[in-house]
């Protein structure tokens, strides 16, 4: 089983206003790392284990819905969800991921977690 223990969810920034992040803002926050950002329908043909990947679960035609991350064999979703289908297929399935929910479903703070 590739799942980590599920914990309780909370809202980072509870009582504060955290605006949803755009891709360029995430890149700026992760400056100095080898980061690539993709929409779910525009994935790379392969994954480089040395890079950090940030994916938005919306299609390129949309405005963005939820940011998730992948690095060195580990998938991360602040809602504690498993990898999305397209990434799972690209990586051949059985991807390790964390089931801990760090973000409340009502919060738009996902970009701060990746």
């Amino acid at each position: 089983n590739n799942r980590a223990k599920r914990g309780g969810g909370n809202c980072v920034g509870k009582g504060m206003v955290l605006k949803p992040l755009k891709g360029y803002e995430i890149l700026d926050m992760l400056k100095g790392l080898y980061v690539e950002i993709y929409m779910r329908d525009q994935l790379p043909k392969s994954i480089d284990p040395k890079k950090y990947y940030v994916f938005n679960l919306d299609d390129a035609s949309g405005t963005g819905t939820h940011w998730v991350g992948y690095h060195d064999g580990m998938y991360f979703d602040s809602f504690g969800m498993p990898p999305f289908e397209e990434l799972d297929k690209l990586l051949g399935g059985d991807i390790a991921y964390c089931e801990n929910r760090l973000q409340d479903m009502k919060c738009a703070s996902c970009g701060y977690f990746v």
Side-chain angles (χ1 to χ4, degrees):
N1 185 334
N2 284 328
R3 299 178 197 165
K5 185 176 179 183
R6 180 177 289 281
N10 63 26
C11 184
V12 168
K14 195 170 191 173
M16 299 170 34
V17 176
L18 289 177
K19 69 178 185 77
L21 294 176
K22 303 282 186 195
Y24 70 88
E25 293 170 310
I26 293 172
L27 282 174
D28 191 50
M29 287 172 41
L30 300 174
K31 198 179 310 184
L33 299 174
Y34 296 106
V35 179
E36 292 184 9
I37 294 182
Y38 295 93
M39 300 301 273
R40 80 178 300 150
D41 63 340
Q42 295 183 332
L43 298 182
K45 295 197 184 307
S46 63
I47 297 290
D48 181 340
K50 296 176 189 163
K51 293 183 180 178
Y52 291 85
Y53 291 88
V54 176
F55 303 102
N56 194 287
L57 298 185
D58 200 2
D59 292 333
S61 62
T63 59
T65 57
H66 181 60
W67 294 109
V68 297
Y70 180 82
H71 174 68
D72 198 23
M74 182 66 148
Y75 176 80
F76 177 77
D77 180 336
S78 56
F79 292 145
M81 301 300 290
F84 59 99
E85 183 179 352
E86 296 87 345
L87 183 64
D88 192 54
K89 285 182 182 177
L90 176 66
L91 295 172
D94 202 32
I95 303 167
Y97 69 98
C98 179
E99 279 191 332
N100 290 333
R101 186 178 65 195
L102 302 176
Q103 176 186 347
D104 188 276
M105 296 296 266
K106 296 177 185 173
C107 295
S109 56
C110 55
Y112 297 90
F113 289 97
V114 297

